[in-house]
Amino acid sequence: MASVAKEELFERTPIPKAVASLSIPTIISSLVMVIYSMVDTYFVGLLNEPVQTAAVALAAPVLLAFNAVNNLFGVGSSSMMSRAMGCKDFDTVKKSSAFGFYGALFFGFLFAIVCTVFRPALLTLLGADSVTAATTTSYLDWTVTLGAVPAILNVVMAYMIRSEGSSLNASIGTMGGCVVNMILDPICILPWGLDMGAAGAGMATCFANCCALIYFFGYMIVKRGKTSVCISPRAFSLEKRIVLGVCAVGIPASIQNLLNVVGSTVLNNLAASYGAAALAAMGICTKINMVPMYVAMGLSQGVMPLISYNFASRDYKRMKSALLYTIRCSEVLLLASSFLMFFCSGALTGLFIKDPDTVAYGSAFLRGFCLAQPVLALDFMCVGTFQAVGMGRESFVFAILRKIVFEIPLLLLLNAIFPLYGLPFAQAIAELMMALIAIPVMIRFFRRCRAQEELPLQA
């Protein structure tokens, strides 16, 4: 059952302290994940071979697709768990976590098998050509064929552990894996080590995810009887309310990430037509841009259990205070990062590769990417709130608008008007449009909460 300390955190701890205790470990964990992703790019970039860096960039959409499974079972089950805890329904908490774990295990294996069997078609879809195909294949062998299951399971377990307020424990596992990855990267990639290039980066990532998964299994053993998270086969249930409760939030969140993969694939294919240097620069800038994005994402994910719990217990005032406080904090951080990326674009790109053409491309790209930062806080928190309170339909609509209606058409349009250099500005315009939509939607949501204050509790 949820401990008294966890109830104190969700129900009575001052908002700034509660948000900090939940979000800071998640932000740090997210940043470490970005850093280790950037370390992959950094050490591969030391080889000064754009083809190697381009291979890592081409494979990125496949790794991003992991999040489709992560969100289906991680976001879906953790949202239902937090809401059930708010209603003190701990049977639902256990069944939701078991369903999330075994669902992620099954689909992780399925993902790896499909990507391996249909590898040639996948490479074509990603934009690989005769120059980059072999290197991209060797990277995917480690990260997907061998690495999909541990990569997916450790993220899903972190979501579930975080849902009961144990953000620090969830982040320790994630960060531990990232540290292992950073230690192994130079050993596996560089000539003085195993000299495997991009394949070495993939091998390091695979082993790191296995280490993180071992930590989470150890955590479950140590905390047996003290945690509401349950991965026992006996707790697994296909009970209708469990399946629908998880999928109602998880499927829209999963589709949202699949659309992110589509957007990333379109971006890479458009950039690839301008050569390996342009593609490598786009990959580098995308990863630099991930730092502030993951800060905003870490804040929204960290505060989700607090929003879910107080929504289910009908403490809407506390829920709204937590949401608005988190948006303010996120906005300050993202504005600062936007200025840094704009004025130091060339220096930041140059940290990862010394090829002058790649650096020149990257400097221009990064100035376009950074313009999206100021509006990410509102957009991420809006979608995160919908996921936290079980409003999967609204989350799905926002995903469709962001990618299908705005960003992907803008990529094609801007590339036609401003070849190559228009691509980075598509995200900024799309996020601005989404922010203009998010504000009235959130206002209506708060009004609806006030109208529901007298309704019976629901999990």
Side-chain angles (χ1 to χ4, degrees):
M1 294 180 68
S3 67
V4 174
K6 290 172 183 174
E7 291 183 0
E8 176 73 21
L9 172 66
F10 287 133
E11 297 177 3
R12 294 176 289 277
T13 301
I15 291 298
K17 184 177 180 180
V19 171
S21 64
L22 289 167
S23 294
I24 289 177
T26 310
I27 292 171
I28 293 173
S29 173
S30 297
L31 286 176
V32 172
M33 290 180 67
V34 174
I35 290 170
Y36 98 73
S37 177
M38 295 172 71
V39 167
D40 279 354
T41 304
Y42 173 76
F43 283 111
V44 172
L46 288 181
L47 300 173
N48 214 31
E49 299 176 17
V51 171
Q52 297 281 345
T53 305
V56 176
L58 285 169
V62 183
L63 305 189
L64 185 61
F66 287 175
N67 288 331
V69 182
N70 296 341
N71 280 12
L72 173 56
F73 297 105
V75 174
S77 62
S78 64
S79 174
M80 191 170 183
M81 288 167 65
S82 292
R83 283 180 282 128
M85 280 188 279
C87 298
K88 307 298 189 288
D89 181 3
F90 297 105
D91 178 65
T92 296
V93 175
K94 290 185 177 181
K95 288 181 178 179
S96 300
S97 56
F99 177 77
F101 176 81
Y102 288 104
L105 179 63
F106 173 78
F107 279 95
F109 275 116
L110 183 63
F111 189 102
I113 292 169
V114 170
C115 288
T116 303
V117 171
F118 296 100
R119 179 67 54 79
L122 177 63
L123 290 172
T124 301
L125 181 65
L126 293 173
D129 55 22
S130 58
V131 178
T132 57
T135 309
T136 306
T137 295
S138 63
Y139 184 76
L140 290 173
D141 285 340
W142 284 102
T143 54
V144 179
T145 302
L146 297 176
V149 171
I152 288 170
L153 279 184
N154 79 63
V155 173
V156 170
M157 292 188 73
Y159 266 116
M160 295 192 295
I161 291 170
R162 192 179 297 123
S163 72
E164 60 175 359
S166 301
S167 286
L168 180 60
N169 290 312
S171 298
I172 288 173
T174 305
M175 289 187 291
C178 294
V179 170
V180 171
N181 197 122
M182 288 187 281
I183 293 172
L184 291 177
D185 262 343
I187 297 173
C188 297
I189 295 171
L190 298 179
W192 58 262
L194 298 179
D195 194 21
M196 294 174 65
M203 184 172 74
T205 298
C206 180
F207 277 104
N209 285 324
C210 290
C211 290
L213 186 58
I214 290 171
Y215 166 84
F216 285 123
F217 284 143
Y219 171 87
M220 295 300 299
I221 294 172
V222 172
K223 296 290 184 178
R224 183 180 300 170
K226 300 178 182 179
T227 175
S228 299
V229 180
C230 179
I231 59 173
S232 168
R234 291 190 297 272
F236 177 76
S237 172
L238 292 176
E239 188 177 339
K240 184 177 179 179
R241 67 182 183 90
I242 300 297
V243 175
L244 292 181
V246 171
C247 291
V249 174
I251 289 177
S254 177
I255 292 173
Q256 177 183 344
N257 273 278
L258 287 174
L259 292 177
N260 289 339
V261 173
V262 173
S264 180
T265 303
V266 171
L267 177 63
N268 279 345
N269 273 273
L270 292 173
S273 64
Y274 296 96
L279 178 59
M282 191 65 75
I284 290 170
C285 291
T286 298
K287 292 194 174 183
I288 295 173
N289 190 50
M290 286 169 63
V291 175
M293 285 183 65
Y294 270 59
V295 170
M297 199 176 300
L299 272 166
S300 64
Q301 289 178 352
V303 80
M304 275 178 64
L306 184 62
I307 293 173
S308 296
Y309 188 100
N310 285 282
F311 175 81
S313 61
R314 293 205 313 264
D315 191 347
Y316 298 126
K317 181 179 179 181
R318 182 171 174 83
M319 179 196 73
K320 182 178 179 180
S321 297
L323 174 60
L324 295 179
Y325 177 79
T326 305
I327 289 175
R328 289 196 297 271
C329 293
S330 183
E331 195 63 52
V332 170
L333 293 171
L334 291 176
L335 281 170
S337 72
S338 183
F339 279 104
L340 177 65
M341 289 168 61
F342 186 86
F343 291 107
C344 303
S345 58
L348 289 171
T349 307
L351 290 174
F352 296 90
I353 196 167
K354 301 305 179 185
D355 178 69
D357 291 337
T358 306
V359 172
Y361 282 132
S363 180
F365 296 163
L366 207 54
R367 289 195 177 99
F369 279 127
C370 76
L371 298 179
Q373 303 304 328
V375 290
L376 283 176
L378 181 59
D379 293 348
F380 281 175
M381 281 307 304
C382 185
V383 173
T385 299
F386 292 150
Q387 293 171 349
V389 303
M391 296 168 60
R393 182 179 61 183
E394 287 79 359
S395 174
F396 173 69
V397 170
F398 267 59
I400 293 293
L401 288 174
R402 173 180 279 116
K403 290 296 178 181
I404 301 299
V405 177
F406 295 143
E407 188 171 323
I408 293 176
L410 282 168
L411 283 171
L412 299 173
L413 177 63
L414 292 175
N415 187 57
I417 299 173
F418 308 105
L420 182 61
Y421 293 99
L423 294 175
F425 294 91
Q427 184 191 26
I429 299 173
E431 295 296 344
L432 177 59
M433 293 177 174
M434 291 305 304
L436 294 175
I437 296 172
I439 293 173
V441 171
M442 292 303 293
I443 291 173
R444 285 197 297 270
F445 169 68
F446 289 135
R447 288 175 178 169
R448 191 160 60 247
C449 286
R450 286 199 297 270
Q452 294 175 345
E453 286 180 345
E454 301 304 320
L455 294 180
L457 284 174
Q458 294 180 356

